[in-house]
């Protein structure tokens, strides 16, 4: 077949869709063309906002919240690959996050490794553990996989508590040094903010590449039909394992950064609750979207902080359980309004998604009309 | 091309496939027919490694397929379609075919991540190639559609295009004409003939007798998992046992 003129344009439109579209059934393909320009402006605006924020916000509290959002975003980006693309759930990701944090704690305080190497360790150790437990665990499906990963998370959590000589037990480990990059000591929230969000952007870039590639398609294929994926030659077990390892590496990296940020680790941070939070962020954000993990992490963290401040004002003497009730209510409303997650929200506004999005999928326009297909 | 010897598969004490042997010559269209439940799909699942056989030997050219997993068998050159469609429903039509060409690409997990942003040259070439395939099955104007939204008949065609994308040497088609209207069935028949002319070997499971009789070089008739007859279309049509077991039921089934 002879490629017709305009071929490259068509191709980039398809790929762009592959990325933006999120891999789930919706009939909003057609936004591909018109989103491209506006989407880029939106991204540039957001990156600028991220860059400017610490310069105008003079509050360590807000900076610390933003840093935590960034760290969780890294975890949820990886979890999103596992859940949204490969279609596998994990209720044990806090364990990988914790393994990363403890790797930094142990390698710096007990073994006096240079900080940067310890951070590498924080990515590698959870990755290796994921590779080991992944094979048997990923044979499980759906609920059983959830139970399996949950069990793994609990085991690791127990390990943090019980391996006193290594982890300091329930009281944790303190005295973790600040991260030093060359001559730069990341000893303030201001500096750490830039590091964390630079890592977030880098991770997003890498994931954008991944999802718009042969491997990204294969991952989506696995989540849609393992039979069909196998039939076209995709080693589904191996690919799921790689997705698991990748998500563990990201969670570990975030955990390592977390340890350098708070310079103290204890088991309480890495329990079942945290694992559930990560899954929550992924689902609220929309697994399988690029912006979803950041949106999910931001919403869940911000909501938690906001309610902690707000609830005592409106219900004097209210305990933490009120926060949880409102937290749940608000997230439920979000999921009802935006069932595929916040990452797909732009498609709800025709202004951003191009005129096509209001058309039902059944009458998708002939792409030829848009100067497309040969 | 493909050699199957004594292939047997039991489901809970019942033989779904019972000592089935046949040889598919290279470049031919070999039809597998029989009433519903005769074991045709199970034969496909055994050849493609979806199910392990209880006994029997399967070899492609000189390569033994037993014990390989489905993705390895795909890599050995066997592609298939599914009777109950297994499209990647939320991907676009084009993405389905490009994913079908998975084996022709080389970008692994890490190389997919660490690369220049944008479309890789490899993907570009595969997309070009896939669009060519789509136009051969008449779907190029739907390339941007989500596959799940295609009409049923076109989903069947897309499955064939996806299977072809890996450039297989053996193609297994499980009831490709089911759900197609007369016009589509006629196009499919022509398409199968063209594939054969290009040298592709095809095993065809199909209930539509007109299609089978028109394209098949030889036909294997299964009933209750056993081979009851093998021969050319003319021989099959003339065989009383086949007519009793299968052709007699044709009206009921349709
Ligand atoms: N995975 C399975 N588990 C149990 N029984 C099966 C399975 N697949 C097929 N069967 C049974 O095997 C027999 C043959 O089925 P199948 O190969 O689908 O027939 P055909 O494709 O010729 O209609 C049927 O009785 C069916 O119920
Ligand atoms: Mg069948």
């Amino acid at each position: 077949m002879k490629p017709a003129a305009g071929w490259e344009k068509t191709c980039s439109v398809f790929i762009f869709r592959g990325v933006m579209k999120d891999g789930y059934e919706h009939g909003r393909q057609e936004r591909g063309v018109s989103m491209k320009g506006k989407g880029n402006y939106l991204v540039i605006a957001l990156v600028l906002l991220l860059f400017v924020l610490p310069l105008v916000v003079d509050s360590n509290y807000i900076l610390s919240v933003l840093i935590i959002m960034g760290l969780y975003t890294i975890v949820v980006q990886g979890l999103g690959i596992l859940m949204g693309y490969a279609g596998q759930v994990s209720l044990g990701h806090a364990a990988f996050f914790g393994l990363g944090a403890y790797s930094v704690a142990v390698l710096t305080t007990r073994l006096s490794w240079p900080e940067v190497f310890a951070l590498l360790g924080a990515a590698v150790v959870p990755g290796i553990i994921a590779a080991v437990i992944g094979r048997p665990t990923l044979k499980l499906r759906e609920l059983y996989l959830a139970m399996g990963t949950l069990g793994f998370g609990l085991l690791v959590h127990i390990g943090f508590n019980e391996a006193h000589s290594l982890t300091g037990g329930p009281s944790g480990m303190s005295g973790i040094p600040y991260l030093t990059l060359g001559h730069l000591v990341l000893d303030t929230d201001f500096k750490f903010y830039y590091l964390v969000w630079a890592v977030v952007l880098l991770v997003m870039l890498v994931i954008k590449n991944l999802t718009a590639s042969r491997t990204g398609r294969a991952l989506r294929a696995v989540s849609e039909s393992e039979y069909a994926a196998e039939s076209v030659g995709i080693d589904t077990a191996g690919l799921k394992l790689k997705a698991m390892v990748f998500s563990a590496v990201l969670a570990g990296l975030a955990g390592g950064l977390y340890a350098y940020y708070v310079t103290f680790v204890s088991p309480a941070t890495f329990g079942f609750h945290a694992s559930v939070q990560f899954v929550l962020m992924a689902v609220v954000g929309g697994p399988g979207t690029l912006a979803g993990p950041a949106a999910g992490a931001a919403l869940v963290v911000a909501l938690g902080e906001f309610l902690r401040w707000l609830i005592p004002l409106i219900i004097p003497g209210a305990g933490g359980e009120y926060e949880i009730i409102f937290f749940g209510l608000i997230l439920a409303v979000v999921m009802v309004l935006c069932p595929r997650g916040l990452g797909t929200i732009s498609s709800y506004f025709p202004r951003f998604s191009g005129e096509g999005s209001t058309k039902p999928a059944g009458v998708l326009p002939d792409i030829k009309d848009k100067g497309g297909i040969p | 091309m493909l050699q199957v010897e004594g292939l047997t598969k039991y489901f809970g004490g019942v033989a779904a496939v019972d000592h089935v042997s046949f040889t598919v010559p290279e470049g031919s269209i070999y039809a597998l027919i029989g009433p519903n439940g005769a074991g045709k799909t199970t034969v496909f699942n055994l050849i493609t490694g979806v199910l392990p056989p209880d006994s029997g030997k399967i070899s492609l050219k000189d390569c033994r397929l037993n014990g390989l997993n489905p993705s390895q068998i795909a890599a050995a050159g066997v592609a298939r379609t599914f009777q109950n469609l297994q499209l990647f429903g939320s991907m676009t039509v084009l993405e389905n075919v490009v994913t079908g060409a998975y084996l022709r690409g080389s970008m692994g997990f890490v190389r997919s991540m660490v690369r220049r942003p944008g479309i890789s040259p490899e993907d570009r070439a595969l997309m070009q190639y896939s669009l060519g395939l789509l136009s051969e099955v008449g779907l190029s104007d739907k390339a941007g559609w989500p596959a799940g939204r295609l009409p049923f008949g076109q989903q069947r065609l897309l499955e064939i295009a996806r299977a072809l994308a890996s450039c297989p040497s053996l193609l297994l088609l499980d009831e490709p004409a089911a759900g197609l209207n007369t016009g589509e069935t006629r196009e499919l028949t022509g398409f199968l003939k063209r594939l054969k002319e290009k040298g592709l070997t095809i095993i065809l499971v199909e209930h539509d007798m007109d299609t089978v009789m028109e394209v098949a070089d030889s036909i294997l008739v299964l009933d209750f998992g056993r081979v009851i007859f093998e021969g050319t279309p003319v021989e099959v049509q003339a065989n009383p046992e086949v007519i009793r077991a299968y052709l007699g039921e044709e009206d009921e089934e349709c």
Side-chain angles (χ1 to χ4, degrees):
Chain A
M1 191 201 71
K2 211 170 82 209
W7 155 251
E8 301 211 345
K9 196 167 152 214
T10 314
C11 252
S12 57
V13 169
F14 282 122
I15 278 293
F16 185 70
R17 277 186 195 138
V19 177
M20 292 305 295
K21 171 188 109 180
D22 81 30
Y24 280 103
E25 167 274 321
H26 18 112
R28 265 176 255 100
Q29 320 277 323
E30 55 277 43
R31 80 189 141 144
V33 182
S34 41
M35 256 296 267
K36 193 154 190 172
K38 289 174 191 166
N40 279 347
Y41 288 128
L42 200 65
V43 170
I44 292 169
L46 282 174
V47 172
L48 274 180
L49 182 69
L50 275 175
F51 184 79
V52 173
L53 260 182
L55 304 174
V56 292
V57 175
D58 190 22
S59 153
N60 265 348
Y61 165 70
I62 290 184
L63 274 189
S64 72
V65 170
L66 290 171
I67 289 170
I68 294 296
M69 281 177 185
L71 291 173
Y72 287 176
T73 300
I74 297 170
V75 179
V76 180
Q77 287 285 1
L79 197 55
I81 290 295
L82 194 64
M83 289 175 63
Y85 284 84
Q88 312 297 310
V89 70
S90 164
L91 276 175
H93 256 54
F96 296 124
F97 185 63
L99 284 165
Y102 271 98
S103 297
V104 159
V106 170
L107 292 173
T108 54
T109 63
R110 301 216 196 284
L111 303 175
S112 313
W113 279 32
E115 288 90 12
V116 176
F117 288 106
L119 188 59
L120 274 181
V124 171
V125 169
I128 292 173
I129 290 176
V132 173
I133 66 140
R135 273 268 171 218
T137 312
L138 287 167
K139 287 210 175 101
L140 305 172
R141 258 153 234 276
E142 291 160 14
L143 270 181
Y144 299 97
L145 178 63
M147 298 310 282
T149 50
L150 188 153
F152 163 73
L154 292 180
L155 274 179
V156 171
H157 190 234
I158 292 171
F160 292 152
N161 268 311
E162 300 302 321
H164 286 265
S165 56
L166 194 64
T167 64
S171 50
M173 297 172 77
S174 54
I176 298 165
Y178 288 119
L179 180 59
T180 313
L181 300 169
H183 293 294
L184 182 66
V185 184
L186 294 148
D187 53 357
T188 64
D189 283 9
F190 183 81
K191 293 179 196 165
F192 214 85
Y193 170 93
Y194 282 106
L195 173 73
V196 167
W197 281 95
V199 173
V200 171
L201 292 180
L202 192 70
V203 167
M204 286 175 80
L205 202 67
V206 161
I207 284 187
K208 188 170 165 22
N209 269 347
L210 177 72
T211 52
S213 72
R214 176 174 180 261
T215 307
R217 285 189 300 270
L219 285 165
R220 276 197 278 157
V222 170
S223 71
E224 297 225 16
S225 164
E226 283 198 37
Y227 286 122
E230 287 273 343
S231 82
V232 299
I234 296 166
D235 170 17
T236 56
L239 195 60
K240 282 193 276 184
L241 186 66
K242 285 178 190 167
M244 174 74 113
V245 170
F246 176 65
S247 72
V249 165
L250 284 187
L253 178 68
L257 289 170
Y258 174 85
Y260 280 126
Y261 176 55
V262 296
T263 67
F264 165 77
V265 293
S266 77
T269 327
F270 311 115
F272 175 60
H273 180 70
S275 287
V276 173
Q277 291 262 45
F278 291 146
V279 172
L280 190 65
M281 291 169 191
V283 171
V284 169
T289 63
L290 191 61
L299 180 73
V300 171
V301 172
L303 200 56
E305 295 296 321
F306 179 66
L307 289 175
R308 193 153 58 180
W309 167 79
L310 183 73
I311 298 293
L313 289 186
I314 47 176
I315 314 173
E321 63 274 16
Y322 282 88
E323 283 168 36
I324 295 174
I325 291 171
F326 279 94
F327 190 78
L329 268 178
I330 292 173
L331 288 185
V333 169
V334 168
M335 290 318 287
V336 167
L337 293 179
C338 196
R340 283 184 304 268
L342 292 171
T344 62
I345 207 162
S346 65
S347 55
Y348 291 84
F349 301 102
R351 211 154 42 85
F352 281 117
S353 42
E355 92 280 11
S357 69
T358 49
K359 291 181 195 163
V363 288
L364 270 161
D366 189 343
I367 295 160
K368 231 178 240 160
D369 296 342
K370 294 197 171 176
I373 291 218
Chain B
M1 184 68 176
L2 183 83
Q3 262 201 310
V4 172
E5 279 176 54
L7 195 62
T8 303
K9 180 74 191 178
Y10 283 89
F11 289 120
V14 181
V17 175
D18 194 357
H19 291 93
V20 170
S21 303
F22 60 93
T23 301
V24 181
E26 183 153 6
S28 68
I29 297 184
Y30 193 88
L32 220 57
I33 66 171
N36 279 323
K40 306 176 297 289
T41 298
T42 306
V43 168
F44 274 14
N45 285 337
L46 293 170
I47 294 173
T48 54
V50 171
L51 296 168
D54 291 327
S55 65
K57 219 167 91 177
I58 306 163
S59 33
L60 183 75
K61 289 176 188 151
D62 297 322
C63 170
R64 185 81 185 257
L65 297 186
N66 296 66
L68 300 184
N69 65 38
S71 61
Q72 291 166 327
I73 290 173
V78 182
R80 72 174 290 184
T81 65
F82 295 86
Q83 181 179 357
N84 57 335
L85 293 164
Q86 298 279 335
L87 283 173
F88 308 128
S90 73
M91 294 193 200
T92 65
V93 167
L94 180 65
E95 283 172 326
N96 266 270
V97 182
V98 177
T99 308
Y102 180 81
L103 286 166
R104 307 184 47 163
S106 65
M107 307 261 289
F109 207 103
V110 174
R111 261 188 62 211
S112 292
M113 290 191 294
V114 187
R115 64 180 173 91
R116 293 217 337 256
I119 318 152
S120 66
E122 176 184 294
D123 271 358
R124 202 177 291 265
L126 286 179
M127 288 181 162
Q128 217 156 344
Y129 162 78
S130 300
L131 271 175
L133 264 177
L134 279 177
S135 70
E136 280 187 50
V137 295
L139 285 177
S140 54
D141 58 333
K142 302 270 173 67
W145 281 45
R149 307 252 169 166
L150 287 181
F152 190 77
Q154 296 190 336
Q155 294 198 10
R156 285 231 176 270
L157 293 176
L158 178 56
E159 276 227 341
I160 299 176
R162 182 181 66 187
L164 287 171
S166 63
C167 277
S169 48
L170 175 65
L171 176 65
L172 312 183
L173 299 174
D174 202 345
E175 304 201 15
L180 265 56
N181 62 35
T182 347
E184 287 170 331
T185 306
R186 208 172 307 121
E187 274 174 41
L188 176 75
T189 312
F191 184 54
L192 294 183
K193 284 180 176 168
R194 285 204 300 282
L195 288 177
K196 186 185 143 181
E197 275 164 28
K198 287 184 188 169
L200 185 65
T201 312
I202 298 174
I203 307 183
L204 173 69
V205 165
E206 184 49 63
H207 280 302
D208 183 65
M209 277 310 125
D210 294 339
T211 306
V212 171
M213 296 305 164
E214 190 176 342
V215 302
D217 296 302
S218 34
I219 301 177
L220 185 79
V221 189
L222 288 178
D223 195 17
F224 294 109
R226 282 190 306 273
V227 176
I228 59 169
F229 192 75
E230 183 182 10
T232 63
V234 178
E235 289 165 356
V236 165
Q237 272 169 313
N239 185 283
E241 200 178 347
V242 175
I243 293 167
R244 197 170 55 247
Y246 183 61
L247 296 180
E249 287 183 10
E250 196 180 15
D251 290 344
E252 277 171 49
E253 272 171 26
C254 300

